[in-house]
Amino acid sequence: MTTFRLLAQTSRSARFAKVTVEVAASDRSDVEVTAAATDEHRREAELGARWALHRSPTEVRVTVTDVVTTDVDTGLGDVYEATARAVWQALSIEHPVPYVGFSDPEMIASWLKGAVGRRLDAVTEARHWSEGRREPDAASLLHAWLYFEGGMPVNLHGRGDQLLLAKEKPYRSTDLDEYGEIRVGPTRHPDVLSRFIGARLTDGAVILGHGGDTVSAGIVLRFEKGDLVIGTLGDEWVLAVGSVPSAAAHYWAVQPFVYGGGG
């Protein structure tokens, strides 16, 4: 039996979740949630355990036996991350990926609902530079962090045709020697993400891609000043103002806006 306690606090917000799991050898990987918890937290626990099992070298069965949350400090994704890290700890996986991202359309829709009505205070970007130069906008973008007022920074990860969101702070700039460098800092004009700083989110929609209804390929953020499309296709970022670009429209399906599309 292994317990992981997620506890973090910043000047913007706090995070808390404590999850206990039991892991046993099995002929196939599976997850069961027996903990007494809300349907939302039970779903997060199951999805978090399945995320963690992607790195398991053997087939195991995970049983989530206990989930502890608080009404004040537990937010979307906290049970998900605590469960994933509990499973990693139980399996003695010493070097998991540094972030725990979620791509489940229902979870991303819930995140959008929570962000609606908030102002986008800032955006931090990680970009690849070489010999003092960088490719235009989406071509040089590696990761982006969205800072909505009153909330933790949310990191956008692109992996193949899958968009993942993770609550984490930006990492530091890195020198890659002969391969250039990764510069991390505020978004700058005229890059697409810079155009929405200070705008308030009025609605949002999930974009489904090749993975069907199990993973998200992107999101549409509807601000007072227009729509921002963010997604990933073929391991390349897609950034656009207004509608989905024609190159991606064939592969993507924009779902209904979480609040009906009103602006």
Side-chain angles (χ1 to χ4, degrees):
M1 184 176 296
T2 303
T3 298
F4 184 88
R5 185 169 179 255
L6 175 69
L7 181 61
Q9 186 165 357
T10 69
S11 59
R12 302 175 66 90
S13 61
R15 303 183 68 192
F16 173 79
K18 186 172 73 171
V19 175
T20 300
V21 302
E22 293 180 355
V23 177
S26 177
D27 56 354
R28 66 183 182 89
S29 291
D30 196 14
V31 176
E32 181 182 11
V33 181
T34 61
T38 65
D39 289 344
E40 178 183 0
H41 289 153
R42 287 172 59 85
R43 179 171 176 77
E44 282 197 29
E46 178 183 352
L47 292 171
R50 294 192 185 282
W51 163 270
L53 288 179
H54 289 312
R55 294 186 57 84
S56 175
T58 59
E59 301 294 323
V60 297
R61 177 180 178 81
V62 176
T63 304
V64 181
T65 60
D66 192 35
V67 173
V68 179
T69 62
T70 71
D71 292 337
V72 176
D73 294 332
T74 303
L76 179 73
D78 293 347
V79 170
Y80 179 96
E81 180 167 345
T83 306
R85 295 194 182 279
V87 173
W88 282 336
Q89 187 171 300
L91 294 172
S92 298
I93 296 178
E94 297 181 0
H95 301 288
V97 291
Y99 67 93
V100 179
F102 56 88
S103 185
D104 176 69
E106 288 187 24
M107 287 187 65
I108 291 187
S110 293
W111 173 76
L112 287 169
K113 288 179 180 178
V116 166
R118 299 187 181 189
R119 184 179 62 251
L120 182 62
D121 287 337
V123 176
T124 296
E125 298 175 333
R127 292 184 176 275
H128 179 257
W129 287 69
S130 180
E131 298 181 348
R133 299 178 181 178
R134 43 151 276 201
E135 295 294 325
D137 213 353
S140 63
L141 183 67
L142 301 176
H143 298 108
W145 291 261
L146 307 182
Y147 289 77
F148 282 98
E149 62 178 335
M152 296 281 290
V154 174
N155 184 208
L156 307 180
H157 291 263
R159 189 176 68 180
D161 298 317
Q162 184 178 5
L163 175 70
L164 297 111
L165 274 58
K167 291 181 176 180
E168 64 169 4
K169 298 178 182 178
Y171 47 77
R172 295 182 178 181
S173 299
T174 305
D175 187 346
L176 303 176
D177 297 323
E178 68 268 28
Y179 300 105
E181 60 181 317
I182 297 174
R183 295 185 186 179
V184 180
T187 183
R188 298 185 182 279
H189 182 78
D191 292 329
V192 169
L193 297 179
S194 70
R195 306 179 197 179
F196 294 87
I197 302 298
R200 195 169 299 277
L201 189 69
T202 62
D203 212 336
V206 175
I207 300 174
L208 302 182
H210 292 300
D213 60 1
T214 60
V215 297
S216 303
I219 51 178
V220 180
L221 300 177
R222 175 156 291 174
F223 291 94
E224 301 161 310
K225 61 193 305 180
D227 288 358
L228 170 61
V229 178
I230 305 174
T232 179
L233 181 65
D235 217 25
E236 299 288 341
W237 283 110
V238 176
L239 303 174
V241 176
S243 58
V244 171
S246 57
H250 177 72
Y251 305 98
W252 286 357
V254 179
Q255 301 305 288
F257 280 80
V258 295
Y259 284 115

